[in-house]
């Protein structure tokens, strides 16, 4: 974990937020390569979820929503995690995570169950603070994950009426725009709405780098359907989402499906996709697929007074659609793809660090390097670079030995390095070096663009 965190910071992927003020726990910033990688992951998700499907629409709803939204969804009263404090070092821990260490599944368990199990383990002297090892821990209590703020004129700021919440999940906005989507785009059931956006949770523990943060991004898709189709549609999405990971280079053995044993009362099925994080030496959740019944729209209909029924012409039936959800954390995917790609290899007695990212995800697609900074080589390379940057993320680098420059590009996952050498000046060819094989091929400058496009796919 320390190695990945240090790598992300020194190579411009992820920085701790507000570092010059000592940082802010559970918040991170994305540097140049980090944001390019994050955008590429988002692009691949949108391509698979919206561009390649005619049954899913895109949405970008606001972070702030009417506060009743979160009353109706149950978040204001029930979006809690069980928290335990260490009386010695004052650290905070998730009680369900403490129990997990003893193979006790306390996810969504009652406080009563959690405290009974904790008391039993405490009596056996087994449970202790994960930070200092002290056994002096408080009982578990519920802690709200909702992040609140105020909106309105300054004189009203302290009024409870002005409280608004920073959304804890993006799907809330999808439920609220279900009606406008139906009325403006006239979809047939089943159909989906997908969106990417920020979510905020006052996480008790935020110690796992960008795996669990207090500000993060979700990519969620809500698929509205007739209840009789839930089983078969769930299976289709199950397969569709699994393939997305394999297609982007995650090996099947690094992934697994884990079914939820405890379900909220309105859900009929829930599975998580877990990835084996090398940095944490364990499988952990990246995405959830949830069969949510018609609870969400029913609640919003009840609280808003709006009729959210759908008239299904084919069935000649009016009903509140049921929902199948896919929900994935974009930041967690950045972590997953970095963890998966980060490779150390021995090359001629030296260690090479290389990010073996799928080319579609690489922040920089091509680096243009003059072998020397003299005899017109740099000018020629600059010319090629200016042409390339018109249609893809490219870099020009003339500083240091060519070997060092290759290594630098390997570390940020650039799939191709183009080198302009003396032969280029004579016959109009350049070398193209492949990041993974390190093999070089001579390609004519005239053919370079189509050559790279062929290798990387459509690249802008
Ligand atoms: N709408 C359903 C929902 O939000 P969730 O399991 O709470 O379900 C879905 O969250 C995904 O969002 C998770 O699988 C994870 O990838 C991501 N996620 C949740 N909390 C997160 C956090 N604090 N930091 C980063 N990602 C988070």
């Amino acid at each position: 974990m320390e190695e990945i965190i240090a790598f992300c910071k020194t190579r411009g992927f992820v920085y701790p937020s507000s570092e010059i003020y000592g940082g802010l726990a559970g918040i991170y910033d994305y540097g140049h390569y980090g944001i390019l990688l994050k955008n590429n992951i988002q692009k691949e998700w949108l391509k698979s979820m919206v561009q390649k499907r005619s049954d899913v629409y895109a949405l970008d709803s606001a972070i702030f929503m009417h506060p009743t939204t979160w009353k109706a969804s149950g978040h204001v009263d029930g979006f809690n995690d069980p928290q335990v404090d260490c009386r010695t070092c004052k650290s905070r821990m998730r009680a369900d995570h403490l129990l997990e260490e003893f193979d006790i599944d306390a996810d969504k368990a009652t406080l009563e169950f959690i405290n009974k199990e904790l008391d039993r383990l405490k009596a056996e002297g087994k449970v202790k603070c994960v930070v200092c090892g002290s056994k002096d821990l408080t009982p578990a209590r519920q802690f709200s994950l909702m992040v609140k703020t105020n909106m309105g004129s300054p004189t009203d700021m302290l009024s409870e009426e002005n409280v608004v919440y920073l959304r804890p999940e993006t799907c809330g906005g999808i439920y609220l725009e279900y009606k406008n989507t139906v009325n403006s785009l006239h979809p047939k059931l089943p159909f989906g709405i997908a969106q990417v956006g920020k979510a905020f949770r006052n996480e008790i523990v935020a110690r796992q780098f960008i795996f669990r943060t207090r500000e993060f991004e979700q990519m969620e898709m809500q698929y509205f359907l007739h209840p009789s189709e839930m089983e078969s549609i769930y299976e289709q999405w199950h397969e569709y989402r699994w393939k997305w990971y394999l297609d982007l280079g995650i090996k099947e053995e690094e992934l697994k499906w884990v079914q939820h044993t405890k379900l909220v009362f309105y859900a009929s099925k829930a599975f998580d996709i877990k990835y084996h994080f090398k940095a944490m030496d364990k499988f952990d959740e990246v995405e959830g697929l949830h069969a949510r019944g018609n609870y969400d729209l029913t609640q919003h209909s009840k609280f808003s007074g709006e009729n959210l029924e759908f008239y299904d012409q084919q069935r000649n039936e009016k009903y509140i659609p049921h929902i199948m959800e896919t929900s994935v954390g974009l930041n967690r995917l950045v972590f997953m793809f970095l963890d998966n790609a980060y490779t150390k290899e021995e090359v001629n007695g030296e260690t090479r660090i290389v990010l073996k990212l799928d080319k579609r995800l690489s922040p920089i697609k091509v680096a243009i390097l003059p072998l020397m900074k003299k005899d017109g080589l740099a000018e020629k390379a600059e010319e090629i670079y200016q042409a390339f940057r018109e249609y893809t993320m490219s870099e020009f680098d003339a500083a240091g030995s060519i070997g060092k420059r290759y290594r630098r590009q390997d570390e940020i996952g650039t799939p191709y390095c183009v080198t302009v050498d003396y032969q280029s000046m004579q016959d109009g060819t350049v070398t193209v070096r492949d990041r993974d094989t390190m093999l070089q091929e001579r390609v004519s400058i005239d053919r370079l663009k189509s050559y790279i496009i062929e290798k990387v796919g459509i690249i802008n």
Side-chain angles (χ1 to χ4, degrees), residues 42 45-51 53 55-61 167 170-171 173-175 177-178 181 185 191-197 218-224 237 241 324-328:
Q42 177 178 331
W45 186 84
L46 283 171
K47 183 173 174 190
S48 148
M49 301 301 274
V50 181
Q51 186 180 324
R53 300 192 63 107
D55 55 351
V56 180
Y57 302 93
L59 175 75
D60 181 18
S61 72
R167 64 182 177 198
T170 54
C171 57
I174 298 181
Y175 306 139
E177 291 308 343
Y178 152 81
T181 306
L185 304 175
F191 75 92
I193 304 178
Q195 81 163 325
V196 183
Q218 285 187 317
M219 305 195 287
E220 296 198 295
M221 191 281 311
Q222 309 291 307
Y223 204 68
F224 301 87
W237 280 103
R241 290 303 302 145
M324 210 297 299
E325 163 184 77
T326 71
S327 175
V328 58

Side-chain angles (χ1 to χ4, degrees), residues 169 171 201 203 211 213 218 220 285-286 325 327 329 332:
E169 52 183 14
C171 57
R201 295 183 189 178
E203 296 284 359
F211 180 82
T213 52
Q218 285 187 317
E220 296 198 295
E285 172 190 342
V286 286
E325 163 184 77
S327 175
R332 255 184 218 184

Side-chain angles (χ1 to χ4, degrees), residues 127-401:
V127 62
K128 46 186 188 242
C129 172
V130 294
V131 178
C132 74
S134 162
K135 291 184 178 165
D136 193 5
L137 304 178
T138 64
R141 63 194 170 96
Q142 293 293 15
F143 180 84
S144 173
L145 301 184
M146 296 297 281
V147 180
K148 273 186 198 175
T149 188
N150 293 83
M151 204 178 250
S153 63
T155 48
D156 296 331
M157 270 311 203
L158 297 176
S159 156
E160 266 301 303
E161 283 161 35
N162 282 357
V163 165
V164 283
Y165 299 93
L166 276 74
R167 64 182 177 198
E169 52 183 14
T170 54
C171 57
I174 298 181
Y175 306 139
L176 266 51
E177 291 308 343
Y178 152 81
K179 192 172 177 172
N180 279 330
T181 306
V182 169
N183 290 342
S184 58
L185 304 175
H186 314 292
K188 286 198 181 75
L189 280 189
F191 75 92
I193 304 178
Q195 81 163 325
V196 183
K198 291 246 174 173
F200 302 82
R201 295 183 189 178
N202 210 354
E203 296 284 359
I204 297 168
V205 181
R207 278 195 284 266
Q208 294 155 299
F209 189 39
I210 52 172
F211 180 82
R212 191 182 308 284
T213 52
R214 297 191 169 119
E215 174 178 343
F216 57 100
E217 271 165 279
Q218 285 187 317
M219 305 195 287
E220 296 198 295
M221 191 281 311
Q222 309 291 307
Y223 204 68
F224 301 87
L225 48 87
H226 187 273
S228 65
E229 292 182 318
M230 184 59 93
E231 277 284 316
S232 63
I233 285 178
Y234 192 96
E235 286 316 310
Q236 287 162 22
W237 280 103
H238 200 267
E239 199 183 326
Y240 194 70
R241 290 303 302 145
W242 184 255
K243 281 190 175 149
W244 187 79
Y245 289 85
L246 303 187
D247 179 52
L248 286 170
I250 307 293
K251 292 201 184 73
E252 201 140 20
E253 57 269 26
E254 304 292 345
L255 292 171
K256 66 177 179 189
W257 284 108
V258 177
Q259 185 162 18
H260 288 209
T261 49
K262 291 193 198 73
L263 292 172
V264 279
F265 70 91
Y266 51 82
S268 58
K269 209 181 223 180
F271 273 87
D272 288 336
I273 297 178
K274 293 198 174 188
Y275 162 76
H276 183 257
F277 284 90
K278 292 194 283 274
M280 302 199 288
D281 196 21
K282 63 171 182 171
F283 277 91
D284 218 329
E285 172 190 342
V286 286
E287 171 158 355
L289 264 74
H290 312 129
R292 299 179 62 96
N294 65 0
Y295 174 79
D296 306 284
L297 291 183
T298 305
Q299 284 295 98
H300 289 303
S301 177
K302 203 162 99 189
F303 277 71
S304 66
E306 286 280 337
N307 181 359
L308 297 179
E309 283 176 320
F310 185 90
Y311 174 57
D312 186 336
Q313 277 183 332
Q314 277 159 320
R315 293 186 171 86
N316 193 22
E317 213 182 299
K318 246 184 170 183
Y319 55 92
I320 293 192
H322 286 225
I323 291 173
M324 210 297 299
E325 163 184 77
T326 71
S327 175
V328 58
L330 177 52
N331 315 76
R332 255 184 218 184
L333 290 186
V334 171
F335 189 13
M336 180 192 79
F337 282 114
L338 282 170
D339 180 273
N340 185 63
Y342 185 82
T343 312
K344 277 183 181 169
E345 291 175 348
E346 284 301 302
V347 178
N348 302 330
E350 277 182 29
T351 305
R352 163 173 107 120
I353 293 176
V354 51
L355 270 193
K356 293 193 172 177
L357 286 168
D358 182 280
K359 291 159 192 167
R360 288 164 291 180
L361 301 183
S362 291
I364 304 294
K365 305 294 187 224
V366 56
I368 320 291
L369 319 170
L371 185 66
M372 300 282 180
K373 270 197 275 187
K374 55 184 187 183
D375 304 323
L377 300 189
E379 288 75 10
K380 187 79 199 156
E382 176 75 33
E383 204 180 291
I384 298 171
Y385 168 57
Q386 291 305 341
F388 258 96
R389 71 193 306 202
E390 278 296 319
Y391 63 92
T392 196
M393 278 308 301
S394 345
E395 274 192 4
F396 173 86
D397 188 2
S401 74

